[in-house]
Amino acid sequence: MMNLRGLAADTGREGLSQDRSALRIAGVRKVFDKLEAIRNITVDIAQGEFVSLLGPSGCGKSTLLMMIAGLTQPTSGEIVLAGKPVVAPRRDVGVVFQSPVLLPWRNIIDNVLFPIELLRLPLAQYRPRALELLKMTKLDEFAQALPRQLSGGMRQRAAICRALVHDPGTLLMDEPFSALDAITRDDMAVELQRIWQANRKTVVFVTHSIREAAFLSDRVLVMGRRPATIIDEVEIDLPRPRNVAMTEEEGFNRYTRRLRKSIEASHEQ
Ligand code: ADP
Ligand code: MG
């Protein structure tokens, strides 16, 4: 079998750090035992770009995100982040999961600072940054509170602070708002857009919500049913900052219709 990883190592690795692409997913395939989850995905994501992976549940979105995070390895193909192949979890990446998994006995600021402890970085040096992030997400008054004293939306904002505390260049988010009610969810999307505009991280955002993908993204990658491939790619050319009122407008609905069509087409196959 051809070793794609070896091949990539021999061809043009030098070039990767010089081009615009912050994240390159090259011919990635993932097989669990006999189940082929991801067939062949090749994508380039630019520095500071906000990209969503949109697809039905079970299509392989989380699997792809976990490979980008270095938490699991592709069966073949390669993922290159900031010019270096991803072979294990990295410091230059922050991850936000569907449920915020805060440590219940630690207050919010200590939860936010937890990665700093894990990475054995100087805590005192990062405390002002953690407070700044809490301020940015309007949680500064809750720095000393315990997670159970916060609402679901507030806990997820704390988890976003935690993912950003070590200042990673890339933020990976796996359906981070799906456990929230619709109104909180809209607020969080606006909030995330604000954080992203202020920090300009490269974001890969997993969702099965067409509306959420269209609202947040520079570009939406539509994934078909398992084994996953990218079946459509849509640039969302709407001005920023976007607001919830815009989601009622024709310009926005044109995109959601297009995305819905792509997903439906993949179901008919
Ligand atoms: P999504 O996030 O789009 O809902 P997943 O990436 O979680 O989809 O799963 C894609 C497919 O791979 C599913 O059929 C799932 O059951 C399977 N899968 C995911 N993780 C594992 C694993 N660790 N072992 C075996 N199968 C898995
Ligand atoms: Mg998932």
Side-chain angles (χ1 to χ4, degrees), residues 32-33 35 37 55-64 174-175 206 226:
F32 295 109
D33 297 317
L35 180 111
S57 139
C59 77
K61 303 181 296 296
S62 295
T63 302
L64 183 58
D174 194 356
E175 307 202 29
V206 164
R226 209 184 64 221

Side-chain angles (χ1 to χ4, degrees), residues 3-16 26 77-80 83 85:
N3 183 343
L4 284 172
R5 200 168 292 170
L7 194 69
D10 293 334
T11 55
R13 175 150 306 154
E14 271 85 25
L16 287 176
E78 188 179 47
I79 296 175
V80 179

Side-chain angles (χ1 to χ4, degrees), residues 84-225:
K84 286 174 293 199
V86 176
V87 290
R90 293 204 347 205
R91 281 181 187 207
D92 53 352
V93 173
V95 186
V96 180
F97 298 96
Q98 186 168 345
S99 70
V101 287
L102 301 172
L103 298 170
W105 60 88
R106 283 188 164 224
N107 66 24
I108 294 303
I109 179 98
D110 289 342
N111 264 289
V112 170
L113 283 165
F114 191 55
I116 302 301
E117 279 181 56
L118 288 180
L119 294 169
R120 297 178 196 283
L121 295 168
L123 267 178
Q125 199 177 310
Y126 281 86
R127 189 167 282 271
R129 176 173 168 80
L131 283 168
E132 197 181 296
L133 285 165
L134 289 176
K135 201 164 185 180
M136 187 170 73
T137 52
K138 302 184 187 77
L139 287 174
D140 44 328
E141 283 174 36
F142 297 88
Q144 307 302 325
L146 290 170
R148 65 177 144 82
Q149 295 172 286
L150 271 59
S151 69
M154 291 162 86
R155 283 201 290 267
Q156 197 53 288
R157 294 206 308 266
I160 295 170
C161 294
R162 182 182 54 190
L164 291 171
V165 72
H166 59 299
D167 203 20
T170 303
L171 186 59
L172 306 177
M173 307 182 87
D174 194 356
E175 307 202 29
F177 308 147
S178 59
L180 307 174
D181 64 80
I183 294 167
T184 308
R185 198 168 170 154
D186 279 351
D187 289 346
M188 290 292 289
V190 171
E191 184 75 14
L192 175 60
Q193 175 184 227
R194 200 171 61 75
I195 295 168
W196 173 76
Q197 287 199 294
N199 289 264
R200 283 291 165 167
K201 308 287 182 197
T202 307
V203 180
V204 183
F205 186 94
V206 164
T207 182
H208 59 248
S209 160
I210 292 171
R211 188 170 170 274
E212 196 169 74
F215 181 82
L216 283 166
S217 310
D218 294 324
R219 185 157 54 117
V220 180
L221 306 173
V222 182
M223 288 169 74
R225 280 199 298 191

Side-chain angles (χ1 to χ4, degrees), residues 42-59:
T42 296
V43 179
D44 278 290
I45 295 175
Q47 182 72 48
E49 192 179 13
F50 196 120
V51 171
S52 287
L53 300 175
L54 173 69
S57 139
C59 77

